[in-house]
Amino acid sequence: HPRVRRQRQMCIRDRYIDYAKGFFMSHIIPTPLFEKTDETKRVFIKSLSLDERNVNGSVKDDFYDFIRKLKLPVGNDVVVSFTHDFSLENEEYRLEVNEKITVYSSGEAGKVFALQTLKQLLFEYGRTIPFIAIKDKPKYKIRGFMLDVGRYFYPVDDVKLFIRKMSLHKLNFLHLHLTEDQGWRVEIYKYPLLTQIGSVRKKTNFNHRQHKGYYTKAQIKSIVKYAHDFGISVMPEFDIPGHSRSALACYNYLGCFERNLPVADHWGVKHDVLCAGKESTYKFVEDIVDELCELFPDKYFHIGGDEVPKHRWHLCPHCQAMMKKLGLNNEDELQCCFMNRINDYCAGKNKQAFMWSWDLKDDKLLSENLGFTKCGDINTGGRPFIDTSSKAYYIDLPYGYISLKDTANHKLYDGNCLGAEATLWTEYVPDMKKADKMTYPRLGAMCETVWRGENSYEQFHNKLDYYYSYLDKNRIGYSKLYFANPNRVLGFLQRIWFEKRQLTWEGLSNILDDLKVKYIAKKNSNL
Ligand code: ACM
Ligand code: ZN
């Protein structure tokens, strides 16, 4: 189409002018470490294919899908070849476009990233690509995306789509938040009620319809395999001892007072949590960890630890006896010991465990080898952590709280920082359409930062038009700029819409509930 061609030429001329001024700006996101373009020489591609002996089926399909979107025929005019280069690091790659197209890597991940870069070059230049040499590798080891499938269940095909979208951004770490107050999402052979009962919530925040779903073991395996095909490892999260109402609804002995409570059907921090005093709780937790470790072979394992009100533990004879036995001063210390014990169990299975840094006030007793997903401004000590800043990377929050500018300007630290993770909590994200609106363009800014090690809104803004058009081509939804960097009025409205979550009876029912449990505790102690 002549208009498209004209735009493309404009684009190339713009690049040339920038280059002449010494401001060469590549549009590839995330920006490669090193790129050299010779605009005077070009390869014309009539049709394109991959040397298929060297790539797995998922990556091949993803690549061919995209070039079909570009209307570039799959064929043998130019064949992308792959060369093994031992001198490169695991995720490093080189991509050379001249008369031929060659990918150099030492592993599978490098190939995936090289092909993602090539997709962007084909998008930007069409069939006539200038000679380019790219040498690239990421700054941070963990570049993650967390999907909360607990609040809303996302079917297998959706999760695979998330994986492909992650790969587009050269992310390598999928964190699956699998258990929540509002739903248990993974089949466990030893405790069948977890999915029979625990995967169903009576209503959601949006409507009064039932919502349910879970992954069978076979489905989990297919998700993990698919992620691995794209060089992405998977960390399951089993959120304990809080956020466990779906488990308590199935096995009430896991709670301090064996109350019969339904799976939670509304947002809020629940006061009923796993009992930290009974050995039966630890047996349950270890059984679950065992079955999850069989499904998730990668190194990392998340054990939650966020938002654990201590109301029940304070009154529970089992918890109080445990505190006495361990010589602890308060319930926060009891949580430290709970987390440490599960962390030790995970370590025994060769896993690096993580917990949320969220709200433990007294964490002196917490093991130093227990990693943090760090969402607040907290001192992590010497422990390894993944930056999940709730001021930059909580991408479910309205743009009125976290604008694109905030995400792009967020700085990462060296040292014990393993990388960063964008977290998509799904209280208000029922489907992919809404997920896309919240995730993009913020994920583009975040992937720039964690791949390159630095970023700023000014730099990212230079690429934004290109990024939006690339998302369009990939049929990924997003929020437009006026919405992603809202003015004061719009930002206020976005926050109000979100905060309607506060308009519930939760606070009042918590008070009544606490009184009820106080009465039970008193009655029991008088027996
Ligand atoms: C969290 O935000 N509940 C980790
Ligand atoms: Zn207890």
Side-chain angles (χ1 to χ4, degrees), residues 7 17 46 67 89 93 141 202 220 224 252 262 308 358 373 375 411 419 430 441 446 495 499 511 517:
Q7 275 178 354
I17 290 167
K46 287 200 276 292
I67 67 170
E89 290 165 28
Y93 70 91
K141 182 174 154 187
K202 267 208 297 274
I220 291 279
V224 171
N252 70 0
V308 188
W358 201 243
T373 42
C375 37
K411 302 275 175 275
M446 175 269 188
R495 294 198 296 273
E499 293 304 342
I511 291 170
V517 173

Side-chain angles (χ1 to χ4, degrees), residues 212-258:
K212 63 179 180 180
Y214 68 89
Y215 309 110
T216 64
K217 294 211 176 200
Q219 286 173 327
I220 291 279
K221 282 180 186 161
S222 93
I223 289 170
V224 171
K225 156 111 185 26
Y226 196 71
H228 287 175
D229 281 351
F230 287 93
I232 293 172
S233 51
V234 189
M235 172 170 75
E237 180 176 350
F238 173 27
D239 196 351
I240 46 174
H243 290 281
S244 294
R245 278 279 301 275
S246 60
L248 292 172
C250 308
Y251 301 99
N252 70 0
Y253 71 84
L254 296 171
C256 290
F257 293 93
E258 313 209 347

Side-chain angles (χ1 to χ4, degrees), residues 249-296:
C250 308
Y251 301 99
N252 70 0
Y253 71 84
L254 296 171
C256 290
F257 293 93
E258 313 209 347
R259 308 177 74 207
N260 294 317
L261 299 163
V263 173
D265 54 25
H266 204 283
W267 159 292
V269 177
K270 312 297 173 193
H271 289 194
D272 285 273
V273 303
L274 300 187
C275 176
K278 292 189 266 190
E279 281 305 313
S280 51
T281 306
Y282 295 94
K283 171 81 171 71
F284 170 81
V285 169
E286 289 170 9
D287 286 342
I288 303 291
V289 172
D290 285 347
E291 291 202 28
L292 288 179
C293 284
E294 272 175 34
L295 292 174
F296 295 93

Side-chain angles (χ1 to χ4, degrees), residues 62-78:
D62 179 71
F63 187 81
Y64 287 171
D65 260 10
F66 184 74
I67 67 170
R68 282 192 199 100
K69 281 182 190 140
L70 295 176
K71 307 261 187 308
L72 177 62
V74 175
N76 291 333
D77 178 39
V78 176

Side-chain angles (χ1 to χ4, degrees), residues 256 275-277 313 316 318-319:
C256 290
C275 176
W313 289 6
C316 170
H318 309 285
C319 288

Side-chain angles (χ1 to χ4, degrees), residues 400-448:
Y401 281 124
I402 300 178
S403 67
L404 175 63
K405 279 184 192 166
D406 294 331
T407 306
N409 284 329
H410 184 70
K411 302 275 175 275
L412 296 177
Y413 293 96
D414 288 339
N416 304 326
C417 176
L418 299 170
E421 198 180 273
T423 58
L424 187 67
W425 302 98
T426 58
E427 273 298 349
Y428 284 84
V429 185
D431 53 36
M432 190 60 93
K433 190 162 175 235
K434 176 80 179 173
D436 278 353
K437 285 229 177 304
M438 302 317 289
T439 306
Y440 310 98
R442 283 185 288 204
L443 195 71
M446 175 269 188
C447 87
E448 244 335 298

Side-chain angles (χ1 to χ4, degrees), residues 23-253:
F23 294 115
F24 179 74
M25 294 296 298
S26 151
H27 285 111
I28 295 167
I29 291 176
T31 309
L33 192 63
F34 173 83
E35 176 185 346
K36 189 158 173 249
T37 305
D38 181 351
E39 303 264 4
T40 64
K41 296 205 189 86
R42 279 163 191 278
V43 54
F44 180 73
I45 303 168
K46 287 200 276 292
S47 69
L48 182 66
S49 58
L50 305 175
D51 177 353
E52 293 176 11
R53 294 164 303 178
N54 281 290
V55 282
N56 64 59
S58 311
V59 170
K60 183 191 76 178
D61 291 348
D62 179 71
F63 187 81
Y64 287 171
D65 260 10
F66 184 74
I67 67 170
R68 282 192 199 100
K69 281 182 190 140
L70 295 176
K71 307 261 187 308
L72 177 62
V74 175
N76 291 333
D77 178 39
V78 176
V79 178
V80 179
S81 66
F82 296 86
T83 301
H84 197 91
D85 182 343
F86 285 105
S87 72
L88 299 177
E89 290 165 28
N90 179 39
E91 294 196 299
E92 190 174 8
Y93 70 91
R94 285 193 292 130
L95 173 65
E96 283 177 4
V97 178
N98 37 54
E99 291 86 1
K100 299 173 303 190
I101 300 179
T102 315
V103 169
Y104 300 85
S105 72
S106 66
E108 293 305 300
K111 289 180 196 168
V112 174
F113 302 149
L115 291 179
Q116 293 296 4
T117 297
L118 180 58
K119 279 159 73 175
Q120 294 197 38
L121 292 176
L122 290 163
F123 172 65
E124 187 159 352
Y125 292 104
R127 295 180 191 200
T128 320
I129 306 187
F131 285 14
I132 293 182
I134 287 174
K135 203 167 161 8
D136 200 9
K137 64 176 179 182
K139 161 97 181 185
Y140 285 99
K141 182 174 154 187
I142 291 186
R143 305 179 305 280
F145 183 87
M146 188 213 76
L147 178 61
D148 167 12
V149 292
R151 272 56 178 262
Y152 275 99
F153 176 70
Y154 282 77
V156 175
D157 285 345
D158 276 358
V159 179
K160 290 184 175 173
L161 193 52
F162 273 108
I163 287 170
R164 282 168 64 171
K165 293 173 180 178
M166 286 174 64
S167 179
L168 213 68
H169 295 79
K170 299 193 174 84
L171 302 186
N172 68 353
F173 191 77
L174 173 64
H175 170 176
L176 273 182
H177 184 80
L178 283 169
T179 68
E180 248 311 329
D181 291 315
Q182 292 84 359
W184 185 282
R185 304 300 177 205
V186 53
E187 180 179 41
I188 300 292
Y189 288 153
K190 241 188 186 154
Y191 301 90
L193 297 185
L194 289 172
T195 42
Q196 281 169 31
I197 294 170
S199 70
V200 186
R201 64 191 280 195
K202 267 208 297 274
K203 62 186 176 79
T204 71
N205 293 354
F206 281 117
N207 59 46
H208 285 259
R209 282 202 296 275
Q210 189 194 68
H211 178 79
K212 63 179 180 180
Y214 68 89
Y215 309 110
T216 64
K217 294 211 176 200
Q219 286 173 327
I220 291 279
K221 282 180 186 161
S222 93
I223 289 170
V224 171
K225 156 111 185 26
Y226 196 71
H228 287 175
D229 281 351
F230 287 93
I232 293 172
S233 51
V234 189
M235 172 170 75
E237 180 176 350
F238 173 27
D239 196 351
I240 46 174
H243 290 281
S244 294
R245 278 279 301 275
S246 60
L248 292 172
C250 308
Y251 301 99
N252 70 0
Y253 71 84

